[in-house]
Structure formats: C-alpha cells, structure tokens
Amino acid sequence: MASIQPSRQTQDPPIQALFMFETVTLGHANVVTGQMEHKIEMPRFGLGVWQMSEGGECRNAVLHAIQSGYRLIDTARAYSNETETGEAIRESGIPRDEIFVVTKLRRTHAVSYESALEHCRSSLEMLGLDNLDLYLVHAPPEDIEARASVWKGMEECLARGWTRAIGVSNYGAHHLDDMRAYATILPSVNQVELHPWNQRPALRAATEGIGAKVMAYSPLARGHKLDCGSLSQISDSVDCTPAQAAIKWVYDTGSITIPKSSNPVRIDENLASLSIDLSGTEKSFARMDEVYVSGWNPTAEP
Ligand SMILES: NC(=O)c1ccc[n+]([C@@H]2O[C@H](COP(=O)([O-])OP(=O)(O)OC[C@H]3O[C@@H](n4cnc5c(N)ncnc54)[C@H](OP(=O)(O)O)[C@@H]3O)[C@@H](O)[C@H]2O)c1
C-alpha cells in the first residue's frame, strides 16, 4: 500500500478531512529575495468539474465527492458552474475552511489589471464565498503585452485577501521564465495537462524551477485512452481499473491530481485509486509517453 500520510507543515487551522490525502505546501517565490511567501496547505487530490453543464450535474457531483471525502474542487469561470459548486459546498455542511476551492480567470477576461480584479470579484459572488483558496490565470493571455498587468491584478487579488494563493494554468516553460521579468511574486501552481500518455518531464521541471507545484489536469486524457492495451496490462497486474492506474501514476509524480467524473460510482473509484501500489510498473508507464494532447495546448503558444 502506498502511504497516504498527512504532511501539514504550516500554522493553518487544522483541516481534519485533509488527512485522508497528502497535502502540499504552496508558496510564492519572491522574485527579488527568493523567499517563499504566503504559504498554505492544499490537498493533492480533488474533483475537476469541467463539462458538468446539465442543471444539477455539478451540484450533485460536488456534493457526492465531498460526502465521499474529497476536499479539493477545481472549477473555472469558463465551466459555467461556479454557482452550483458554491451551492454544493454550502449544502455539504462541511466547514468552508476544510474545502479547498480553485477557480480560474477566463482567457477572454485576462486582458488587464482591472479585469483580473473585476472577474475575481464576480467568481466570488457566483461561488458565494468570501475568498478563494487558489485563483489561476486559465491560460497565458493572448495579448502578450497584457500578461504583466494581468499578473499584477492577480497579485492584488492575493494582497486584498480575495484568494489565499494565485497561480497559472497552461503556461509553458518560456511563459514561466518571462514572469521573472514582470512578477513580484511567482505563481504557486501551474495547472497543465499531465497523464501517462503525455508525461511532460521538462515542463514539470520548469514549474518546480520557479517554486510552483504541478497541478495535473485531464489525468485520464479526458477518457480518450482508457482502452489502451498497455494501461490494461498494468491495471490487471496491480488489480485495479485502468482509470485508477492512470490516476495513481499521475498522483505518484507528486502532482496535485484532479480527475473529473459526474458519476458517483466513478467519483468513489477515482478516490480509491490513491491506495493502489504501482511499484514495479515504472518502466511500463515510461514507455507509454507519446506526447498525446487531449485538447488544447496553450503551453506551446508564443
Ligand atoms: N486548466 C485547463 O485548461 C484544464 C483543461 C482541462 C481540464 N481541466 C481540469 O481538470 C479536470 C479533469 O480533466 P478532464 O475533465 O479534462 O478529464 P479527465 O479527468 O482526464 O477525464 C474525464 C473523463 O473520464 C471519464 N471518467 C472519469 N472517471 C472514470 C472512470 N473511473 N472510469 C472511466 N471513465 C471515467 C469521465 O466521464 P464521467 O463523468 O461520465 O465519469 C470523463 O469523460 C477538469 O474537470 C478540469 O477541472 C483544466
């Protein structure tokens, strides 16, 4: 059995439920001093809620996940379900500070300092929360000239206490490197596509190189590869489902892992993947990398 131990190291209030999974310490490296600032703890496993757009679908999935023990929810303005996410969190009865909420500044809104602030406020209103735990720029702003001012807006959201941490998503190594010239503090997280078919060692290293944690989206490659023969051989050998083997591989990279499911049985199946021991399968997984992109790939943009 892989050990799932608490690893809380800061002075945050105790979050009992997080002890089901490992947590990770997020911080923001100060560009000038190199010091890590604003340290907080984040669960390393959670529910992604993209493509839950039927009325009630997101609410039901989030509620079921929280009741099953999930304590991290990854939503975004672009998913059009921040309101249902907030409703489910309240309905769960679990104290707010025991659930880690991530949302994202939509790319079309990532145009200026003011827009970052305005849309952080509207996400808070839709979620019905006083503050976010992590606010991400969903993808590098298309207007390269706007990237610095958008990040300044994110830093201001953090300074005002609207979010406990800020980060980016879909930033390539060159986007991260560029941030050193315009950021005061560097992102705490880079959320990127990561799964056995796209293992991204260089991008993971670049993310860690600026002091950020990798948050892995689409750990199942959006379900595109669940009939992969190599995966089935591995899952048979360790007596789990193919989805569980893929999720656990991602989790074992040390990344924050957020599979999506609207199906209560699969939500539980995915959580149970954390107890699977993949020892001895490392070489088989290493051979599966085919740099497969399941959707968009802004990391490759200028
Ligand atoms: N920042 C970004 O640009 C970005 C991009 C994509 C995703 N994300 C985030 O990452 C989350 C996860 O990624 P994703 O939604 O793209 O894809 P994913 O988690 O890789 O895969 C989800 C798909 O797999 C199915 N599935 C889930 N569990 C399963 C299981 N145990 N067995 C078989 N099929 C299963 C789901 O169907 P059912 O629902 O029917 O179970 C769904 O079709 C998103 O929800 C979102 O929060 C972020």
Side-chain angles (χ1 to χ4, degrees), residues 48-50 74 79 104 138 169-170 191 217-223 226 243 258-263 266 269-270 296:
V49 299
W50 183 46
D74 180 77
Y79 305 167
K104 311 183 192 86
H138 206 140
S169 177
N170 295 300
Q191 185 183 115
Y217 75 68
S218 305
L220 300 171
R222 307 189 184 190
L226 289 176
I258 49 166
K260 175 265 174 184
S261 181
S262 307
N263 176 320
R266 289 174 172 177
E269 176 187 328
N270 296 347
W296 68 339

Side-chain angles (χ1 to χ4, degrees), residues 79-242:
Y79 305 167
S80 302
N81 56 26
E82 288 171 309
T83 302
E84 286 201 15
T85 298
E87 285 168 5
I89 289 168
R90 281 186 291 286
E91 196 176 330
S92 75
I94 300 293
R96 166 69 187 94
D97 63 3
E98 295 186 17
I99 300 177
F100 196 101
V101 181
V102 184
T103 193
K104 311 183 192 86
L105 176 67
R106 192 175 194 153
R107 203 174 203 191
T108 51
H109 298 153
V111 292
S112 66
Y113 173 91
E114 293 78 14
S115 185
L117 266 63
E118 178 193 340
H119 288 285
C120 183
R121 286 305 315 163
S122 26
S123 283
L124 285 168
E125 276 166 33
M126 284 190 213
L127 283 155
L129 299 177
D130 295 330
N131 65 291
L132 307 169
D133 293 293
L134 175 61
Y135 193 41
L136 303 177
V137 183
H138 206 140
E142 283 174 317
D143 176 2
I144 294 173
E145 299 300 315
R147 287 179 187 164
S149 61
V150 167
W151 187 250
K152 288 290 167 208
M154 298 292 285
E155 291 178 338
E156 184 62 21
C157 293
L158 180 70
R160 294 188 187 194
W162 296 351
T163 182
R164 297 170 68 225
I166 53 174
V168 295
S169 177
N170 295 300
Y171 274 47
H174 57 299
H175 300 129
L176 297 173
D177 203 35
D178 290 349
M179 293 188 81
R180 294 181 192 279
Y182 61 73
T184 301
I185 53 165
L186 291 166
S188 60
V189 159
N190 186 19
Q191 185 183 115
V192 295
E193 177 168 356
L194 178 65
H195 44 66
W197 307 275
N198 195 356
Q199 304 188 8
R200 313 189 94 163
L203 183 53
R204 282 154 55 197
T207 298
E208 287 158 17
I210 59 151
K213 304 295 182 198
V214 176
M215 186 168 180
Y217 75 68
S218 305
L220 300 171
R222 307 189 184 190
H224 297 176
K225 296 278 189 181
L226 289 176
D227 58 356
C228 161
S230 306
L231 183 66
S232 306
Q233 279 183 2
I234 293 170
S235 60
D236 286 350
S237 75
V238 296
D239 198 19
C240 69
T241 68

